[in-house]
Amino acid sequence: MIINGVKIEPTFAEAFPMKATRILITAQDLKWAYHSAQTMTGFATSVIACGCEAGIERELDPSETPDGRPGVAILLFAIGGKRLAKQLEARVGQCVLTSPTSALFAGMYEGELIPLGKNLRFFGDGFQISKIINGRRYWRIPVMEGEFLTEEKVGMIPAIGGGNFLVLAQSQPQALTACEAAIAAMKKIPNVIMPFPGGIVRAGSKVGSKYPGIKASTNEVFCPTLKGKTHTNLSAEIESVLEIVIDGFSKEDIQKAMYAGISAVCNFGAQNGICRISAGNYGGKLGPIHFHLQEIMMGQMA
């Protein structure tokens, strides 16, 4: 398959099951909502070392939030419900409770309910109070600036992590420019995040390592500087490879994001140095959920 001169390789991305939730952070303005959100989603790129994967899904207009203030929606993904609940509580307690003017609400009620403010209320040291509105419990926790309002519980659902594709280009500027366009297109798709910095990862990894105890290591077959030193998947003209990783609520959500992102990259075409689109898979060692690139680009969604 070739789109605008860009070869779509007959391969697949290998993904794995996760648990996910959505929360809503509001504040007096978007600046302070983003302060909370960006701090909370820091160091959350990969479950290899971060405990969870998290990112900002989108901005929220005041008409979309429970308290009528501007805000942002955040998605969090983790391997298992207990780990997700632990990461959520720790990050909210350190990064949202502490942030001036912030409030916190559930962004979904489907699936199993897990604590949001249920345990954070104890920070109030007995001075916290609760109120039930439309069947949902909210906590008001006194803080020095005023009070922190948070919903007691939030929904958690099965999800998918590790959808991905690789952009192979003649130079680093060409690869990065194309990937930036892909991220802009993918951010329009609901229910997904691209958790790495700016949505893009240069240090794509493979499963395992020559060193004992290392879970992941550099994917040498896609490293341009190693051509001639080891087996490579790169032809002579390719000097830069970037990866985009996608987490989503469903297989269909990730497929839609991959289609949007790959289409945006192909719009640059071979005339702008984009050579191939590939994907990371590891022979079944990583996960049972597969995203076949050519099927996605032909519109064959799950």
Side-chain angles (χ1 to χ4, degrees):
M1 176 184 284
I2 297 176
I3 302 175
N4 197 20
V6 179
K7 180 180 178 181
I8 310 298
E9 295 190 345
T11 188
F12 60 88
E14 189 176 338
F16 46 90
M18 301 184 83
K19 295 287 188 178
T21 191
R22 176 191 284 115
I23 61 169
L24 312 180
I25 297 175
T26 67
Q28 69 177 18
D29 52 38
L30 271 176
K31 177 183 73 173
W32 280 103
Y34 267 104
H35 282 322
S36 295
Q38 289 168 341
T39 306
M40 182 181 173
T41 57
F43 190 56
T45 59
S46 172
V47 292
I48 292 174
C50 299
C52 76
E53 299 178 7
I56 296 171
E57 180 186 23
R58 66 184 183 95
E59 293 181 3
L60 300 170
D61 186 82
S63 64
E64 300 178 276
T65 64
D67 61 359
R69 302 192 301 169
V72 294
I74 290 177
L75 306 186
L76 288 91
F77 296 77
I79 303 296
K82 290 183 178 179
R83 181 173 295 183
L84 181 64
K86 182 178 180 180
Q87 286 287 325
L88 177 63
E89 182 175 314
R91 290 169 182 268
V92 167
Q94 294 299 305
C95 307
V96 186
L97 169 67
T98 59
S99 181
T101 79
S102 67
L104 183 66
F105 303 95
M108 61 187 306
Y109 303 95
E110 299 91 343
E112 179 185 352
L113 293 179
I114 60 174
L116 187 55
K118 182 179 180 181
N119 297 328
L120 292 173
R121 75 183 193 270
F122 295 118
F123 182 76
D125 202 27
F127 296 101
Q128 68 274 13
I129 60 174
S130 71
K131 179 173 287 190
I132 297 177
I133 303 174
N134 295 328
R136 296 173 184 159
R137 184 180 296 276
Y138 298 81
W139 286 96
R140 297 168 60 183
I141 302 171
V143 292
M144 295 189 298
E145 171 232 31
E147 67 177 19
F148 173 59
L149 175 66
T150 179
E151 203 160 346
E152 182 173 71
K153 295 180 180 179
V154 63
M156 176 181 68
I157 62 172
I160 298 171
N164 71 82
F165 61 91
L166 306 176
V167 176
L168 288 67
Q170 293 178 12
S171 71
Q172 186 271 345
Q174 291 168 326
L176 185 57
T177 300
C179 285
E180 287 175 335
I183 293 299
M186 296 166 76
K187 283 188 173 181
K188 298 176 182 178
I189 308 299
N191 305 328
V192 300
I193 58 168
M194 287 63 71
F196 281 89
I200 304 167
V201 54
R202 69 174 181 173
S205 60
K206 67 178 184 295
V207 176
S209 167
K210 65 182 287 185
Y211 300 106
I214 304 295
K215 295 180 181 179
S217 58
T218 192
N219 199 351
E220 72 274 5
V221 297
F222 287 105
C223 292
T225 58
L226 297 182
K227 286 188 294 186
K229 297 180 181 179
T230 185
H231 171 69
T232 183
N233 284 349
L234 305 180
S235 49
E237 75 276 13
I238 295 172
E239 292 296 337
S240 188
V241 180
L242 291 174
E243 182 177 10
I244 295 177
V245 176
I246 311 104
D247 296 338
F249 284 169
S250 70
K251 188 172 185 180
E252 183 180 15
D253 292 327
I254 294 178
Q255 287 174 325
K256 289 178 179 178
M258 290 178 67
Y259 179 87
I262 293 172
S263 296
V265 171
C266 289
N267 283 341
F268 280 81
Q271 67 271 22
N272 289 309
I274 308 303
C275 301
R276 291 155 46 198
I277 302 293
S278 190
N281 68 74
Y282 312 95
K285 297 178 182 179
L286 181 64
I289 304 167
H290 297 167
F291 295 93
H292 293 267
L293 300 184
Q294 293 189 357
E295 291 180 6
I296 290 172
M297 299 314 293
M298 288 189 293
Q300 298 177 5
M301 303 294 188

